[in-house]
Amino acid sequence: AYQGLMKAKEDLHLPVKYVEATDENSFDPLLRSFASKTGADKYDLIIAVGMAQVDALKKVAKQFPDKKFAIIDAQVD
């Protein structure tokens, strides 16, 4: 996932920010932090990696219905 992100950054000239959670309790606040950015600091797409983030992604996505979220290696209905 990280290599793909860096390739997209280079090939498509996309601004990206990568963070790695220190534990499962960090998923929710990190996703919320990305989703709450506005103006020049906002992110058009927030990508979570791994099935351990499914619950946090569902929770945060409901709170930010105008944001776009994706997840790698899992499925969210």
Side-chain angles (χ1 to χ4, degrees):
Y2 178 79
Q3 289 175 342
L5 178 66
M6 292 301 109
K7 183 162 177 47
K9 178 181 178 179
E10 182 180 318
D11 293 354
L12 304 173
H13 308 288
L14 297 175
V16 302
K17 181 170 183 177
Y18 171 82
V19 297
E20 191 167 328
T22 55
D23 59 50
E24 290 187 11
N25 294 322
S26 301
F27 297 153
D28 189 306
L30 285 172
L31 291 169
R32 184 174 283 106
S33 173
F34 281 113
S36 65
K37 299 286 186 186
T38 60
D41 293 332
K42 77 174 185 168
Y43 296 98
D44 295 326
L45 177 63
I46 301 156
I47 302 171
V49 179
M51 56 191 274
Q53 293 196 49
V54 168
D55 290 339
L57 184 65
K58 284 181 181 180
K59 183 178 177 182
V60 174
K62 285 180 185 177
Q63 296 170 351
F64 296 90
D66 295 335
K67 295 290 183 169
K68 294 180 183 172
F69 295 87
I71 191 162
I72 297 172
D73 293 336
Q75 181 176 335
V76 176
D77 296 322

